[in-house]
PDB file of all heavy atoms in Angstrom:
ATOM      1  N   GLY A 108      25.788 -47.956 229.487  1.00  0.00           N
ATOM      2  CA  GLY A 108      26.749 -46.952 229.369  1.00  0.00           C
ATOM      3  C   GLY A 108      28.095 -47.448 228.990  1.00  0.00           C
ATOM      4  O   GLY A 108      28.272 -48.276 228.063  1.00  0.00           O
ATOM      5  N   LYS A 109      29.226 -46.930 229.657  1.00  0.00           N
ATOM      6  CA  LYS A 109      30.583 -47.407 229.488  1.00  0.00           C
ATOM      7  C   LYS A 109      30.819 -48.607 230.284  1.00  0.00           C
ATOM      8  O   LYS A 109      31.316 -48.546 231.360  1.00  0.00           O
ATOM      9  CB  LYS A 109      31.593 -46.342 229.801  1.00  0.00           C
ATOM     10  CG  LYS A 109      31.479 -45.078 228.943  1.00  0.00           C
ATOM     11  CD  LYS A 109      32.509 -44.077 229.529  1.00  0.00           C
ATOM     12  CE  LYS A 109      32.116 -42.645 228.891  1.00  0.00           C
ATOM     13  NZ  LYS A 109      33.068 -41.595 229.317  1.00  0.00           N
ATOM     14  N   ILE A 110      30.249 -49.795 229.804  1.00  0.00           N
ATOM     15  CA  ILE A 110      30.409 -51.011 230.652  1.00  0.00           C
ATOM     16  C   ILE A 110      31.815 -51.610 230.378  1.00  0.00           C
ATOM     17  O   ILE A 110      31.985 -52.066 229.253  1.00  0.00           O
ATOM     18  CB  ILE A 110      29.301 -51.996 230.301  1.00  0.00           C
ATOM     19  CG1 ILE A 110      27.886 -51.306 230.329  1.00  0.00           C
ATOM     20  CG2 ILE A 110      29.328 -53.187 231.225  1.00  0.00           C
ATOM     21  CD1 ILE A 110      26.729 -52.063 229.809  1.00  0.00           C
ATOM     22  N   GLY A 111      32.590 -51.759 231.376  1.00  0.00           N
ATOM     23  CA  GLY A 111      33.957 -52.190 231.274  1.00  0.00           C
ATOM     24  C   GLY A 111      34.013 -53.541 230.664  1.00  0.00           C
ATOM     25  O   GLY A 111      34.880 -53.830 229.800  1.00  0.00           O
ATOM     26  N   SER A 112      33.229 -54.544 231.074  1.00  0.00           N
ATOM     27  CA  SER A 112      33.334 -55.869 230.637  1.00  0.00           C
ATOM     28  C   SER A 112      33.062 -55.924 229.121  1.00  0.00           C
ATOM     29  O   SER A 112      33.682 -56.725 228.482  1.00  0.00           O
ATOM     30  CB  SER A 112      32.391 -56.812 231.406  1.00  0.00           C
ATOM     31  OG  SER A 112      31.022 -56.434 231.286  1.00  0.00           O
ATOM     32  N   CYS A 113      31.985 -55.229 228.614  1.00  0.00           N
ATOM     33  CA  CYS A 113      31.727 -55.277 227.267  1.00  0.00           C
ATOM     34  C   CYS A 113      32.871 -54.620 226.392  1.00  0.00           C
ATOM     35  O   CYS A 113      33.288 -55.290 225.449  1.00  0.00           O
ATOM     36  CB  CYS A 113      30.518 -54.429 226.980  1.00  0.00           C
ATOM     37  SG  CYS A 113      29.151 -54.516 228.004  1.00  0.00           S
ATOM     38  N   ILE A 114      33.376 -53.483 226.865  1.00  0.00           N
ATOM     39  CA  ILE A 114      34.374 -52.810 226.097  1.00  0.00           C
ATOM     40  C   ILE A 114      35.623 -53.668 226.132  1.00  0.00           C
ATOM     41  O   ILE A 114      36.297 -53.760 225.094  1.00  0.00           O
ATOM     42  CB  ILE A 114      34.551 -51.377 226.694  1.00  0.00           C
ATOM     43  CG1 ILE A 114      33.341 -50.628 226.497  1.00  0.00           C
ATOM     44  CG2 ILE A 114      35.776 -50.785 226.110  1.00  0.00           C
ATOM     45  CD1 ILE A 114      33.293 -49.345 227.216  1.00  0.00           C
ATOM     46  N   ALA A 115      35.984 -54.368 227.252  1.00  0.00           N
ATOM     47  CA  ALA A 115      37.247 -55.125 227.312  1.00  0.00           C
ATOM     48  C   ALA A 115      37.235 -56.154 226.175  1.00  0.00           C
ATOM     49  O   ALA A 115      38.336 -56.393 225.679  1.00  0.00           O
ATOM     50  CB  ALA A 115      37.348 -55.772 228.690  1.00  0.00           C
ATOM     51  N   CYS A 116      36.212 -56.634 225.957  1.00  0.00           N
ATOM     52  CA  CYS A 116      36.164 -57.713 224.914  1.00  0.00           C
ATOM     53  C   CYS A 116      36.010 -57.154 223.446  1.00  0.00           C
ATOM     54  O   CYS A 116      36.733 -57.482 222.583  1.00  0.00           O
ATOM     55  CB  CYS A 116      35.003 -58.800 225.161  1.00  0.00           C
ATOM     56  SG  CYS A 116      35.284 -60.243 224.264  1.00  0.00           S
ATOM     57  N   HIS A 117      35.121 -56.144 223.305  1.00  0.00           N
ATOM     58  CA  HIS A 117      34.898 -55.594 221.992  1.00  0.00           C
ATOM     59  C   HIS A 117      36.144 -54.870 221.522  1.00  0.00           C
ATOM     60  O   HIS A 117      36.339 -54.716 220.221  1.00  0.00           O
ATOM     61  CB  HIS A 117      33.603 -54.744 221.957  1.00  0.00           C
ATOM     62  CG  HIS A 117      32.420 -55.601 221.795  1.00  0.00           C
ATOM     63  ND1 HIS A 117      31.657 -55.531 220.624  1.00  0.00           N
ATOM     64  CD2 HIS A 117      31.842 -56.507 222.633  1.00  0.00           C
ATOM     65  CE1 HIS A 117      30.663 -56.518 220.717  1.00  0.00           C
ATOM     66  NE2 HIS A 117      30.722 -57.030 221.990  1.00  0.00           N
ATOM     67  N   THR A 118      36.994 -54.378 222.365  1.00  0.00           N
ATOM     68  CA  THR A 118      38.152 -53.621 221.983  1.00  0.00           C
ATOM     69  C   THR A 118      39.115 -54.486 221.279  1.00  0.00           C
ATOM     70  O   THR A 118      40.095 -54.135 220.544  1.00  0.00           O
ATOM     71  CB  THR A 118      38.865 -53.003 223.250  1.00  0.00           C
ATOM     72  OG1 THR A 118      39.761 -52.053 222.822  1.00  0.00           O
ATOM     73  CG2 THR A 118      39.542 -53.946 224.067  1.00  0.00           C
ATOM     74  N   MET A 119      38.954 -55.873 221.487  1.00  0.00           N
ATOM     75  CA  MET A 119      39.894 -56.827 220.781  1.00  0.00           C
ATOM     76  C   MET A 119      39.745 -56.797 219.255  1.00  0.00           C
ATOM     77  O   MET A 119      40.625 -57.197 218.584  1.00  0.00           O
ATOM     78  CB  MET A 119      39.632 -58.282 221.183  1.00  0.00           C
ATOM     79  CG  MET A 119      40.027 -58.447 222.656  1.00  0.00           C
ATOM     80  SD  MET A 119      39.414 -59.990 223.302  1.00  0.00           S
ATOM     81  CE  MET A 119      40.729 -61.098 222.770  1.00  0.00           C
ATOM     82  N   VAL A 120      38.658 -56.261 218.805  1.00  0.00           N
ATOM     83  CA  VAL A 120      38.486 -56.123 217.372  1.00  0.00           C
ATOM     84  C   VAL A 120      38.351 -54.605 216.966  1.00  0.00           C
ATOM     85  O   VAL A 120      37.406 -54.146 216.362  1.00  0.00           O
ATOM     86  CB  VAL A 120      37.188 -56.836 216.843  1.00  0.00           C
ATOM     87  CG1 VAL A 120      37.512 -58.326 216.868  1.00  0.00           C
ATOM     88  CG2 VAL A 120      35.994 -56.612 217.635  1.00  0.00           C
TER      89      VAL A 120
END
Side-chain angles (χ1 to χ4, degrees):
K109 294 180 196 177
I110 309 169
S112 61
C113 316
I114 294 167
C116 195
H117 279 251
T118 195
M119 293 171 81
V120 289

